[in-house]
Amino acid sequence: MRLFHGIGARSDYSSKEVSEALHIERSSAVARLNELEALGWLQWGAPRLCSITGKRITPMRLPMGQRELFS
């Protein structure tokens, strides 16, 4: 969650972007993102191209209520 709330944080992240930013395995990033989504702390964003792979992905983002607190 620190990645999503940090200064200069992106509005959304793919699992590959999370794994690269945190220097962890992608499978670990996917597991944590799924847990945070199940808790309602993250939600799926609008499809876009991944900044690392260039593939079309559906990133995770903060729910609108949480994002507004830090804007």
Side-chain angles (χ1 to χ4, degrees), residues 7-28:
I7 295 172
R10 299 177 53 115
S11 60
D12 57 17
Y13 290 92
S14 71
S15 59
K16 182 69 172 173
E17 291 165 341
V18 170
S19 69
E20 292 284 324
L22 299 178
H23 307 289
I24 61 175
E25 294 292 326
R26 184 165 177 255
S27 59
S28 297

